[in-house]
Amino acid sequence: YWGRYRYAIEVASALLEFGFLKLGLQEVRGFSISANARVTRLAHRYGFVAVSSCKGSDWMHARGWSQTEWQLTRERWDFLWTV
């Protein structure tokens, strides 16, 4: 494994598959802080699209960070991950 980041890749894959195939979810949404580059890479890896950005809470704004909301639809996941 590539450090702890590899675990995040494995867990994200399993959770998305479970959510879309077993639970029948139509979309998955999540939030991240702009300073967290690993979460941004992970979101892009799985096809998430940034749907909004805001200044976030006061402690984030004080550091110059923002909050990003991510969305992955079942349709997009099917297109990218199923053959």
Side-chain angles (χ1 to χ4, degrees):
Y1 293 136
W2 316 318
R4 292 176 296 193
Y5 187 65
R6 181 63 185 165
Y7 289 118
I9 291 170
E10 295 295 326
V11 169
S13 180
L15 288 173
L16 290 170
E17 185 175 327
F18 180 77
F20 287 130
L21 297 181
K22 300 291 184 188
L23 299 178
L25 299 178
Q26 294 304 304
E27 72 176 12
V28 173
R29 288 184 178 245
F31 295 91
S32 69
I33 295 171
S34 60
N36 194 333
R38 285 185 170 184
V39 169
T40 299
R41 281 197 312 267
L42 192 64
H44 286 141
R45 176 186 188 96
Y46 286 102
F48 278 81
V49 176
V51 292
S52 70
S53 182
C54 65
K55 74 173 192 167
S57 61
D58 290 339
W59 69 268
M60 283 192 290
H61 185 65
R63 289 167 177 80
W65 301 343
S66 61
Q67 177 177 293
T68 303
E69 181 179 7
W70 300 95
Q71 176 193 43
L72 178 62
T73 63
R74 169 70 190 261
E75 181 179 351
R76 182 167 170 81
W77 183 80
D78 281 341
F79 176 75
L80 294 172
W81 294 99
T82 59
V83 178

